[in-house]
Amino acid sequence: MEKYHHSTRILVALDCIVFGFDGEALKLLLVKRNFEPEKGKWSLMGGFLEENEDLEVATNRILYDLTGLKDIYFEEIQTFGKVNRDPVERTLSVCFFALINIHAHDQDAVKAQNAFWINIENKPNLIFDHNEMVNVALERLRYKAALHPIGFELLPEKFTIPQLQKLYEAIYQIPLDRRNFSRKILSTNLLIDTGEKNQQSATKKAILYRLDKEKYQNKFNAFHYFISDSMR
Amino acid sequence: MEKYHHSTRILVALDCIVFGFDGEALKLLLVKRNFEPEKGKWSLMGGFLEENEDLEVATNRILYDLTGLKDIYFEEIQTFGKVNRDPVERTLSVCFFALINIHAHDQDAVKAQNAFWINIENKPNLIFDHNEMVNVALERLRYKAALHPIGFELLPEKFTIPQLQKLYEAIYQIPLDRRNFSRKILSTNLLIDTGEKNQQSATKKAILYRLDKEKYQNKFNAFHYFISDSMR
DNA sequence: TCAAAAGTGTTGAGTGTACACCCATGT
DNA sequence: ACATGGGTGTACACTCAACACTTTTGA
């Protein structure tokens, strides 16, 4: 290990993949850059780590600037560190993804950043290594959502089981059986019947549920837990 | 987003949690520091990211310097970025864990770094935030090993099923049923019978298997795959 | 011949999957 | 009345957990 002063100090950026769900498709919040470098092209939302700022604080700052929301669910994915990943100057990028309720964000904040919600199937080409970041993020989302109940983070506070099913179908791009899905979700006991029904539906109105936040915390890891008891 | 030159450039370190298994207990390769800062105390093995070095290259360099091994299995865990985590100067730490066959490493390299294998239950107190890093790494190892066949990375090329079982028992600190474990492992079809038997055993000699590396690559994600078909 | 470790077999309980059926709503 | 979407029920197949039993080896 070298002495501290021998080593190089480098720029540290944070880049964020923001996922949303509009009821039909999985969406990404992407920035049409009106600033240099690569002005006019698409990129992820990002920023630089500041001098006296914890990494986690910087993440929250960037998410807040973009969406106007606090307490967003986010998760670090990976730190990207190829020497030439940023052509202007060597920059490390700590990359994370965030899940937000697409209806709750501050539209003015999004406009101010020149950001837009884009269907994940229509994702434009992004600058630098941002395409790879999105790929890794999507993979991680799929992995995580299969094992832990993070899907709820993308829905409004009150939601129906069919809505939740559509979300999972959008994430995995596969059809799911309505009846088995319902039973599986209800068997987690994470949902509380609000007594209300979804008035938007044209046919039978679905029950609106909300998340049991206490159980959500406790069961977060137990959701599909490991060493599946099966081996004991 | 600011202009590049407005932002601070900071030191970037890499810290590595090296896991090993001696047949009985899970072990960590820790460094008794014979250099400043915190000379005389215990820490993880680490180093600084160099000027024209990809992050991944730096990881391999650090692992090679410590163990004399190449092509080690490793995985990034998290980047630690609290402002005051390093009292000498602000330093970001990209943290990862590695799994190695404890019998294959270069003992001279380890000695040169003043590193020692320590039972995970006897882990001494470590400097800075290295204790937290070990906690996160162990959690991640447990998570990952339950879903993917990474345990093999800790064993010699040829190994027996009882050895593999002891490894899992060491990782999770729980007893496993011999008969069910054996069937479960064999049902993955990842093991190839070498025709040889473990000569060390005092009683009945167990069959030595080796990993089917091709299937290992293909099945890595399928091992315990998601959206467990159960929902289709 | 006996103890200890390794390998194979079996069974009941529980879970998941693929269905069928019924209910509520607006046109 | 009927089409559409939401909610509940059921049977079969499969998997897992908890066992018993047999085989191999060295002392």
Side-chain angles (χ1 to χ4, degrees):
Chain A
M1 199 190 249
E2 300 99 359
K3 295 268 172 62
Y4 280 60
H5 58 271
H6 285 166
S7 299
T8 338
R9 285 144 189 86
I10 63 178
L11 274 175
V12 176
L14 296 97
D15 286 301
C16 182
I17 292 99
V18 180
F19 288 107
F21 178 66
D22 65 358
E24 292 299 328
L26 198 60
K27 300 204 160 197
L28 287 172
L29 192 49
L30 296 175
V31 173
K32 178 106 179 175
R33 296 167 75 89
N34 49 14
F35 50 88
E36 293 297 345
E38 302 281 0
K39 187 170 170 174
K41 296 193 179 172
W42 289 92
S43 77
L44 294 171
M45 178 70 190
F48 288 99
L49 181 59
E50 291 180 4
E51 191 159 357
N52 284 304
E53 190 183 38
D54 288 348
L55 193 58
E56 207 188 317
V57 172
T59 310
N60 280 305
R61 167 175 58 82
I62 288 166
L63 285 172
Y64 181 75
D65 288 351
L66 179 61
T67 66
L69 300 172
K70 301 198 173 187
D71 298 319
I72 294 179
Y73 179 92
F74 68 88
E75 203 171 302
E76 193 187 317
I77 300 172
Q78 194 184 313
T79 297
F80 287 75
K82 286 242 190 301
V83 172
N84 296 313
R85 53 170 299 280
D86 185 324
V88 179
E89 175 181 344
R90 178 162 199 194
T91 310
L92 213 66
S93 169
V94 180
C95 191
F96 55 96
F97 76 85
L99 306 179
I100 75 165
N101 169 6
I102 203 169
H103 304 295
H105 72 276
D106 178 350
Q107 305 210 354
D108 295 334
V110 167
K111 263 183 205 151
Q113 301 284 350
N114 210 39
F116 302 89
W117 285 105
I118 315 249
N119 263 21
I120 203 149
E121 292 111 39
N122 305 328
K123 180 185 80 64
N125 193 42
L126 306 178
I127 66 165
F128 303 171
D129 50 2
H130 288 197
N131 291 305
E132 190 192 345
M133 290 175 177
V134 171
N135 289 341
V136 176
L138 186 57
E139 208 173 280
R140 194 69 70 88
L141 172 62
R142 285 179 172 151
Y143 190 115
K144 194 74 187 250
L147 301 167
H148 304 274
I150 59 174
F152 306 109
E153 304 286 351
L154 288 160
L155 293 176
E157 193 169 355
K158 295 177 185 176
F159 54 88
T160 68
I161 289 182
Q163 280 169 358
L164 190 61
Q165 182 179 341
K166 284 206 166 175
L167 168 61
Y168 277 91
E169 289 176 330
I171 292 176
Y172 296 102
Q173 304 272 36
I174 52 168
L176 300 173
D177 183 275
R178 201 167 47 84
R179 300 152 285 193
N180 292 331
F181 182 83
S182 172
R183 227 172 322 100
K184 182 133 185 170
I185 291 294
L186 288 174
S187 75
T188 64
N189 278 91
L190 288 173
L191 300 194
I192 299 174
D193 188 334
T194 63
E196 301 169 61
K197 299 209 166 184
N198 180 17
Q199 293 306 325
Q200 291 160 26
S201 168
T203 63
K204 183 171 180 178
K205 279 120 174 71
I207 299 168
L208 282 163
Y209 292 91
R210 62 184 176 79
L211 189 59
D212 185 329
K213 295 216 169 115
E214 204 174 321
K215 283 191 186 155
Y216 176 66
Q217 299 297 335
N218 298 337
K219 279 203 163 187
F220 191 80
N221 281 321
F223 191 56
H224 190 196
Y225 212 44
F226 323 131
I227 282 284
S228 45
D229 292 18
S230 47
M231 280 183 166
R232 293 187 192 249
Chain B
M1 198 191 252
E2 300 99 357
K3 293 271 173 59
Y4 279 61
H5 59 270
H6 284 167
S7 300
T8 338
R9 286 146 189 83
I10 63 177
L11 273 175
V12 176
L14 296 97
D15 285 302
C16 182
I17 292 100
V18 180
F19 288 107
F21 178 67
D22 65 357
E24 293 298 328
L26 197 61
K27 299 204 160 196
L28 286 173
L29 193 49
L30 296 175
V31 173
K32 179 104 180 174
R33 296 167 75 90
N34 49 16
F35 50 88
E36 294 295 342
E38 301 281 1
K39 187 169 171 174
K41 296 194 179 173
W42 289 93
S43 77
L44 294 171
M45 177 70 189
F48 288 99
L49 181 59
E50 292 180 2
E51 190 158 359
N52 285 301
E53 192 181 37
D54 288 349
L55 192 60
E56 206 187 316
V57 172
T59 310
N60 279 304
R61 168 176 59 80
I62 288 166
L63 284 172
Y64 181 76
D65 288 350
L66 179 62
T67 66
L69 300 173
K70 300 197 174 187
D71 297 319
I72 294 179
Y73 179 92
F74 68 87
E75 203 171 304
E76 193 187 318
I77 300 172
Q78 194 185 314
T79 296
F80 288 75
K82 285 242 192 303
V83 172
N84 296 313
R85 56 170 296 280
D86 185 326
V88 178
E89 173 181 344
R90 178 162 198 193
T91 310
L92 214 67
S93 170
V94 180
C95 191
F96 55 96
F97 76 85
L99 305 180
I100 76 165
N101 168 5
I102 202 169
H103 304 296
H105 72 276
D106 178 348
Q107 305 209 354
D108 294 334
V110 168
K111 263 183 206 150
Q113 301 285 349
N114 210 38
F116 302 88
W117 286 104
I118 314 248
N119 264 19
I120 204 148
E121 293 111 40
N122 306 328
K123 180 185 80 65
N125 193 41
L126 305 179
I127 65 164
F128 303 171
D129 49 4
H130 289 197
N131 292 305
E132 189 192 346
M133 290 175 177
V134 171
N135 289 341
V136 176
L138 186 58
E139 207 173 281
R140 194 70 70 89
L141 172 63
R142 286 180 172 151
Y143 190 116
K144 193 76 185 248
L147 300 167
H148 303 274
I150 59 175
F152 306 109
E153 304 285 351
L154 288 161
L155 293 176
E157 192 168 356
K158 295 176 185 175
F159 55 88
T160 69
I161 290 182
Q163 280 169 0
L164 190 61
Q165 182 180 340
K166 283 206 166 173
L167 167 60
Y168 278 91
E169 290 176 332
I171 292 176
Y172 297 101
Q173 303 272 38
I174 51 167
L176 301 173
D177 183 275
R178 201 166 49 82
R179 300 152 285 194
N180 294 331
F181 182 83
S182 172
R183 228 173 317 98
K184 182 134 187 171
I185 292 294
L186 289 174
S187 74
T188 65
N189 278 88
L190 288 172
L191 300 193
I192 299 174
D193 188 334
T194 63
E196 299 169 63
K197 299 208 168 183
N198 181 16
Q199 292 306 325
Q200 292 163 24
S201 168
T203 62
K204 182 169 182 179
K205 278 120 174 71
I207 298 168
L208 282 164
Y209 292 90
R210 63 184 174 80
L211 189 59
D212 185 330
K213 295 212 171 121
E214 206 174 321
K215 282 190 188 156
Y216 175 66
Q217 298 298 335
N218 298 337
K219 280 202 164 187
F220 190 81
N221 281 321
F223 190 57
H224 190 196
Y225 212 43
F226 320 132
I227 282 286
S228 50
D229 292 20
S230 48
M231 281 182 166
R232 294 186 191 249

